[in-house]
Amino acid sequence: MAGSESAGRDYVKVFWYVLLGALVLRLFLIRFPYMFTLDVNTFRSWGDTIVKVGPHNFYSNTWSDYPPLFMYFLWAWGWLQKLFTGESLMSVQWAKLPAVLADCVNGYLIFHILKGRVAIRSAFRTAAFYLFNPVVVFVSAIWGQVDAIITMMMLLVSILVLSNRLFASAALASATIFVKPQGLFMIPVVFFAMWHKHPVRRWPLAIFVGLATAWVVLVPATWNKLFNFVHGPWPAIEALFISPFFWFNNQMKQTGENYPYSTVNAFNVWMLPPPNETWKPDDRLLFFLPHKTWGIVLVLALLALVGWYLWRNRQVAVAFPYFLASSVTLTGFYMLATRMHERYIFPAIAFLALAQAFNRRLTWIYWAFSFTSFVSISYVFFYYNDQSAWVEGVKSMFNNGPMIGSLKLSGMVLISLVNVWLFGELLSFLFVRGELVQDIAENRLVKTFRTIAADVKVHAFAKADVIAPAAIALAFLTLAFIRLGIPSEQIFDEVYHARTAMEYIKGISPYEWTHPPLAKLIAALGVLMWGGGWELEAKTFTEAQAFSWRFMSVIFGALTLVTTYVLTRLMFGNRVIAVAATIMLAMDGVFFVQSRVAMTNIFEVFFIMLGTIGTWQLLKTDDGRWLLLTGFGLGCALACRWSSLYAWGLTGLLLIYHAWRTRRLAWVAEPSPDLRGFFRDFMAADKRGVLRYVGLIALSMGVIPVAIYLLTYLPYILQGGGDWALKVFSWNHANHGWGRVIAWQKEMWGYHANLNATHPYSSPWWSWPLMLRPTWYYFHDWKDVPGLSGVSGVWAIGNAFVWWASIPALLYASFLAWRDGVKALGVAAMLGIGLWVMWGVQPRPLLYMHYMFETIPFACIALAYIGYVFWNGHAAGEPGVASDAAAPLVAEASGAEGGVVAPAGEAIAVEVPPALQLRGRRILVLASASLIVLWFAFYYPLLAAIPVPWPFYNWHVWFGRAWI
């Protein structure tokens, strides 16, 4: 028992760090200019107005469809903001902050509710996953809506209900309605959960408490309108006690009449009657009744079912029936009632999270609803806020589709059908009777991902480790060299980089200075090797010239494959994983294209992979000499593109980790067991050993990279006639000295930080894994050429079955790294995710999808490892033991809902469905590998500018205008 208590304290301690991380993430996101402009500016305007005129005059001075309690909060929040700024108009960040704070409170409340009712690990996991659930983060920190506040009120009501506090529940449930009208959805659940627990004589008083709470909330907002609804013989009494309720009724009726539609962007059952669109009147007849009447009938039927379920389970001591009933009710209002908005499902997500903590068979429904909700909410967000080309393509995908009879299978309809199916699955749990411990068993797929593991076989170094990467690189070179000189023109950024390479050859000051020179110097080497020089004023080029300026890109693409193989082989010691990762990378579309164009990206990625080999070998062997390779690789990467600074920062974190986990053992006699003692260890450490390590880092990560960076500018410094020594050692000789180089660095930063240009293929960093806006480097319609009627192009589009799986694979890899202690997998996950996420904090406003290219090699490593585990792995616990959540549930079922758990070490035998069998897992791996290969073969013509007929081209454009 002492061990369980200690573990509980540890989880509580770690949860506070998770909560802080969730808050920091949201504070980071609200600094960006993304928001639902109408909603956020409306809140700002309301706050400004109520601060100026007060609550009693607010509704007379402006339009508002929100109830008074939320306005009082805005009043207090606005005054608080005014104390800091002196302005009554809130900033965008200040307007978003209440929802951000409410999100964090909700995470804490979920943890608080579950702690003691389920195992502490399950409570921790549920709350942590909720805090970082994409739809939860998106609605508060990006959209700027306040659904988190109404969810917080509902969770507080639930705590009172579970504590059996009737009057407090009635008061708070009543108050919830006056935050947002959706608070009304909780009232039936509160009643059904409590009516049998209290004698009839107490209920009139409970109703009175609820009405009194409503009156207290309404009076300040209606003080100037008290006599507007007086009709009886006692004007003063009616004005004071009746008029506020009449006013509120009219207010909510007017709010409802603002949206007389079957669905207001909610992807629910009312998306299915033709014409399968949103914003259609809800007075349309379905059979013999209008939609709005059917909605009321369906909701009443659902509430009757929920009431029956809670009555049937009234003797069950656990909280699970209440949370399941709440989930069904909140989801049911969204799915069945008319006039629903896309965000009205938001509170249901929190209650689904709570319900699945008791019964893991609900977990997939929780995450599926989270996914469909995220898709629908983000779609609506961008539909009304962004006019980019990729958004237009997504709009087309969601609004258009083939007709099956009178049903239009648009994206909205397909997601609505999925939601209907999910809701049906959720409803089925109301009819399940049985022991709760049996219900907690996981489904096979969830169990597979949670428990699958494999002992990675370590292969001794052999000739195969030379032949395998050489064969892959040779096959890649063969394919990449085909038609390399076509198109014989400078495409996309070749107009800058290929030109600059030629300028270096001719000794002319470079036209393009916005990236460091190394990549362009390497491209110039290819031009010199193949004699592909040209006049800078030329408007047309030969295939040989185009071949020459792209030649070194192909070579470095092949070298990147070799370094990927070497890194993966060193990480896992396994040849199969290394081969799989390398082939996967070779078949990525963006990798293939970047290896065949004279741009800087492929060179940077090669050097990042080279530096990562040195970093990994340091972590593995603790041999500081490997840091020299790290410094060389990252120095060269920096001399190609500044974006490699992200790799520098992540490598620095790995070096700190290495110093903490490994080096301090040699410096400190008794090192502290946690990170808090790191600095104390540093002060007590062997100073000479620390200084040697710091000096090695300074040499490798400072001196060597800076030297490499400066050396790449020597060709520029030496341009023109005169004494070379004078040029090298002069500060500003003939305006070509080091002073000009330093000035360039400042101008380079200013250029990227203040680049306000627009581009039709730009896209936000978070959208890259979804491949919403791939970039056409070259496109040509051959209609004017006799004998040709098709198109050709160079399309920087990722392999869909790599890119779409990249971030999930890296996240899953980080889980495996934590669970199984696989350090190599953790390094790959950290670098892969970090090199993508870092684009969210950089100042450059103009971004392209191919910038995620740096992440893809690490994603391929993660996918290869996961594939190996699925192919060779086995699931733990077959036939198995119940999860750690089972023991507390048994205690609850016995009536010990206060947090008593089963004695430590007591396992509860249950029938656990087996994980996905070996044959099924291998079929999954083979299918995934086949899709990757087939995708590359299918898209190859559009990667290599091979002319194709129009119908063949159209088969490749899956997302309409977004992919054009």
Side-chain angles (χ1 to χ4, degrees):
M1 185 65 73
S4 299
E5 292 176 358
S6 176
R9 287 193 297 270
D10 289 342
Y11 274 108
V12 171
K13 185 189 302 182
V14 173
F15 180 72
W16 286 108
Y17 290 110
V18 172
L19 200 60
L20 178 62
L23 176 61
V24 170
L25 171 64
R26 287 162 170 81
L27 293 178
F28 164 72
L29 290 174
I30 66 175
R31 66 181 286 271
F32 290 98
Y34 300 120
M35 63 175 174
F36 198 93
T37 307
L38 177 63
D39 287 356
V40 174
N41 285 342
T42 299
F43 296 151
R44 297 172 67 205
S45 175
W46 286 346
D48 181 60
T49 301
I50 199 169
V51 166
K52 291 177 178 177
V53 304
H56 56 289
N57 290 317
F58 173 76
Y59 287 96
S60 301
N61 282 270
T62 189
W63 167 88
S64 174
D65 58 351
Y66 273 50
L69 190 56
F70 178 72
M71 294 306 157
Y72 303 157
F73 171 80
L74 273 184
W75 183 41
W77 191 249
W79 271 109
L80 182 61
Q81 189 258 357
K82 191 174 182 180
L83 289 176
F84 287 98
T85 66
E87 301 289 337
S88 57
L89 183 64
M90 292 181 282
S91 66
V92 171
Q93 289 76 18
W94 192 264
K96 285 184 175 184
L97 196 54
V100 163
L101 297 175
D103 267 351
C104 297
V105 171
N106 292 340
Y108 171 78
L109 292 176
I110 289 172
F111 186 65
H112 172 76
I113 290 169
L114 294 177
K115 189 174 62 174
R117 290 188 168 91
V118 299
I120 189 67
R121 188 177 73 175
S122 296
F124 171 83
R125 181 173 53 193
T126 300
F129 284 167
Y130 177 81
L131 284 167
F132 291 95
N133 189 317
V135 70
V136 175
V137 175
F138 187 88
V139 169
S140 61
I142 297 177
W143 185 304
Q145 254 292 351
V146 294
D147 300 274
I149 296 178
I150 186 68
T151 303
M152 178 181 69
M153 297 289 286
M154 291 179 175
L155 291 172
L156 290 171
V157 170
S158 299
I159 291 174
L160 296 175
V161 170
L162 295 177
S163 302
N164 203 24
R165 299 173 63 182
L166 177 62
F167 300 131
S169 299
L172 191 58
S174 176
T176 301
I177 300 172
F178 299 98
V179 175
K180 293 190 79 172
Q182 296 95 287
L184 186 64
F185 299 171
M186 280 297 295
I187 300 296
V189 183
V190 172
F191 175 74
F192 291 143
M194 300 191 74
W195 73 268
H196 59 276
K197 297 181 180 179
H198 299 273
V200 175
R201 65 178 183 275
R202 302 192 71 193
W203 279 98
L205 183 56
I207 295 172
F208 174 78
V209 168
L211 292 173
T213 302
W215 179 80
V216 169
V217 171
L218 290 171
V219 164
T222 59
W223 191 257
N224 293 342
K225 307 176 183 65
L226 290 180
F227 289 92
N228 290 359
F229 301 93
V230 174
H231 303 289
W234 301 288
I237 295 176
E238 288 193 36
L240 185 59
F241 295 105
I242 305 299
S243 180
F245 292 98
F246 275 107
W247 172 84
F248 181 69
N249 178 67
N250 284 3
Q251 187 80 0
M252 292 302 99
K253 185 183 297 184
Q254 182 180 352
T255 297
E257 292 305 319
N258 288 335
Y259 304 101
Y261 309 108
S262 299
T263 173
V264 186
N265 294 321
F267 290 10
N268 58 16
V269 297
W270 299 112
M271 191 72 73
L272 305 182
N276 313 126
E277 297 174 0
T278 59
W279 299 88
K280 298 300 178 183
D282 65 354
D283 57 359
R284 293 173 294 153
L285 291 181
L286 179 64
F287 299 115
F288 52 88
L289 291 176
H291 286 189
K292 59 183 177 182
T293 304
W294 277 117
I296 294 171
V297 170
L298 291 173
V299 167
L300 290 175
L302 176 71
L303 293 178
L305 179 61
V306 169
W308 165 79
Y309 169 76
L310 286 174
W311 165 254
R312 191 181 68 163
N313 290 275
R314 64 191 181 281
Q315 303 301 328
V316 178
V318 295
F320 172 69
Y322 172 80
F323 289 119
L324 177 61
S326 300
S327 302
V328 170
T329 302
L330 294 172
T331 309
F333 269 97
Y334 171 83
M335 291 298 303
L336 304 176
T338 60
R339 309 187 180 191
M340 292 291 107
H341 294 245
E342 68 289 330
R343 290 170 294 95
Y344 285 7
I345 197 173
F346 186 90
I349 300 299
F351 284 86
L352 281 167
L354 286 161
Q356 64 85 36
F358 292 89
N359 189 334
R360 289 186 184 164
R361 289 179 181 174
L362 282 164
T363 301
W364 75 274
I365 297 178
Y366 161 61
W367 284 112
F369 263 125
S370 296
F371 173 76
T372 59
S373 302
F374 178 76
V375 170
S376 61
I377 289 171
S378 57
Y379 162 72
V380 172
F381 177 87
F382 288 105
Y383 185 93
Y384 293 103
N385 278 273
D386 200 319
Q387 299 302 315
S388 300
W390 69 269
V391 176
E392 293 299 321
V394 174
K395 288 180 183 179
S396 175
M397 179 183 68
F398 271 81
N399 287 283
N400 301 320
M403 298 295 296
I404 299 182
S406 60
L407 181 67
K408 180 171 64 176
L409 283 181
S410 63
M412 293 189 293
V413 170
L414 290 173
I415 294 177
S416 299
L417 289 170
V418 172
N419 280 341
V420 170
W421 168 54
L422 294 173
F423 184 58
E425 292 285 337
L426 182 62
L427 282 177
S428 69
F429 282 80
L430 298 180
F431 300 94
V432 175
R433 296 200 71 165
E435 296 297 328
L436 189 62
V437 175
Q438 292 179 354
D439 285 345
I440 203 167
E442 298 169 307
N443 68 57
R444 295 171 64 193
L445 193 59
V446 171
K447 181 176 174 59
T448 299
F449 278 98
R450 190 174 68 84
T451 65
I452 198 73
D455 297 324
V456 176
K457 185 177 181 181
V458 177
H459 298 131
F461 184 83
K463 290 182 180 179
D465 292 301
V466 175
I467 296 173
I472 297 171
L474 182 60
F476 175 82
L477 288 171
T478 302
L479 199 59
F481 277 135
I482 296 174
R483 298 171 56 88
L484 181 61
I486 300 174
S488 57
E489 60 184 86
Q490 293 172 352
I491 60 176
F492 206 66
D493 280 352
E494 285 186 342
V495 297
Y496 306 116
H497 302 153
R499 173 192 173 107
T500 303
M502 194 64 210
E503 287 169 336
Y504 275 117
I505 293 173
K506 289 181 174 291
I508 299 174
S509 183
Y511 169 75
E512 189 276 315
W513 47 264
T514 59
H515 294 293
L518 181 57
K520 290 160 284 189
L521 292 172
I522 297 173
L525 180 61
V527 176
L528 291 172
M529 289 174 61
W530 292 94
W534 65 92
E535 294 302 321
L536 294 174
E537 295 77 17
K539 302 298 182 182
T540 60
F541 306 93
T542 66
E543 288 187 27
Q545 289 169 334
F547 180 94
S548 71
W549 72 60
R550 294 171 187 154
F551 174 75
M552 293 306 294
S553 294
V554 176
I555 297 301
F556 271 73
L559 291 175
T560 303
L561 293 176
V562 174
T563 55
T564 300
Y565 180 92
V566 172
L567 176 61
T568 311
R569 185 71 169 84
L570 291 172
M571 279 181 157
F572 304 108
N574 185 277
R575 192 174 301 118
V576 175
I577 298 175
V579 167
T582 308
I583 292 177
M584 215 178 306
L585 179 60
M587 292 190 172
D588 176 62
V590 171
F591 176 82
F592 187 77
V593 168
Q594 292 300 149
S595 299
R596 299 179 80 253
V597 295
M599 290 170 58
T600 58
N601 306 76
I602 190 64
F603 304 103
E604 178 201 23
V605 169
F606 165 75
F607 288 120
I608 287 176
M609 298 302 289
L610 190 65
T612 304
I613 291 174
T615 303
W616 170 250
Q617 287 299 94
L618 171 73
L619 298 176
K620 181 180 178 181
T621 65
D622 193 32
D623 185 345
R625 290 173 295 182
W626 283 106
L627 268 177
L628 300 176
L629 180 60
T630 298
F632 175 79
L634 294 183
C636 291
L638 182 63
C640 292
R641 291 179 65 89
W642 274 14
S643 57
S644 62
L645 283 170
Y646 306 148
W648 272 45
L650 295 167
T651 300
L653 293 177
L654 289 172
L655 295 179
I656 293 173
Y657 165 84
H658 178 72
W660 177 45
R661 293 297 301 269
T662 305
R663 279 299 175 106
R664 68 185 181 134
L665 298 177
W667 298 336
V668 184
E670 295 182 3
S672 302
D674 55 31
L675 190 59
R676 289 177 297 178
F678 178 77
F679 297 103
R680 186 169 65 250
D681 291 348
F682 180 79
M683 297 304 296
D686 170 20
K687 298 300 188 296
R688 286 183 296 179
V690 173
L691 288 174
R692 281 195 298 269
Y693 185 67
V694 172
L696 181 61
I697 291 177
L699 172 66
S700 303
M701 302 293 288
V703 176
I704 292 176
V706 169
I708 291 172
Y709 191 87
L710 293 176
L711 284 172
T712 61
Y713 278 96
L714 277 179
Y716 166 75
I717 296 290
L718 295 173
Q719 284 179 347
D723 182 67
W724 69 268
L726 180 62
K727 296 177 183 178
V728 170
F729 296 105
S730 293
W731 180 251
N732 202 17
H733 178 70
N735 200 31
H736 253 252
W738 295 109
R740 179 67 256 173
V741 170
I742 300 302
W744 259 346
Q745 311 313 304
K746 298 177 182 178
E747 293 168 8
M748 201 182 303
W749 170 262
Y751 172 83
H752 290 292
N754 302 304
L755 183 61
N756 293 319
T758 59
H759 195 282
Y761 287 107
S762 64
S763 58
W765 66 276
W766 53 264
S767 70
W768 298 341
L770 303 176
M771 293 195 348
L772 298 179
R773 192 61 177 152
T775 309
W776 282 95
Y777 288 176
Y778 167 79
F779 186 89
H780 189 84
D781 186 345
W782 293 97
K783 61 184 178 181
D784 297 329
V785 179
L788 290 176
S789 61
V791 297
S792 64
V794 176
W795 198 6
I797 181 172
N799 191 311
F801 302 103
V802 173
W803 282 59
W804 288 344
S806 60
I807 301 303
L810 288 166
L811 291 173
Y812 183 55
S814 64
F815 164 73
L816 293 179
W818 166 75
R819 188 195 69 182
D820 301 334
V822 184
K823 186 193 298 184
L825 208 54
V827 170
M830 177 183 176
L831 290 171
I833 295 173
L835 289 171
W836 167 58
V837 171
M838 289 292 185
W839 284 102
V841 299
Q842 55 78 50
R844 180 186 170 102
L846 190 61
L847 301 173
Y848 301 94
M849 192 192 86
H850 63 263
Y851 287 179
M852 191 180 165
F853 174 40
E854 299 157 16
T855 287
I856 298 305
F858 298 102
C860 291
I861 292 172
L863 285 166
Y865 183 91
I866 293 169
Y868 180 90
V869 167
F870 265 58
W871 187 272
N872 297 286
H874 55 84
E878 295 182 26
V881 173
S883 72
D884 61 343
L889 290 175
V890 173
E892 270 203 50
S894 304
E897 192 160 328
V900 179
V901 298
E906 286 193 12
I908 301 158
V910 296
E911 184 180 350
V912 179
L916 201 61
Q917 297 297 325
L918 180 62
R919 181 181 178 185
R921 296 198 305 271
R922 290 189 172 181
I923 290 174
L924 183 62
V925 173
L926 285 174
S928 301
S930 300
L931 288 172
I932 291 171
V933 174
L934 290 173
W935 186 97
F936 180 76
F938 184 55
Y939 276 82
Y940 171 72
L942 295 178
L943 306 176
I946 297 174
V948 296
W950 273 102
F952 184 79
Y953 160 78
N954 290 329
W955 293 343
H956 295 73
V957 184
W958 296 349
F959 292 98
R961 178 168 163 72
W963 276 19
I964 296 176

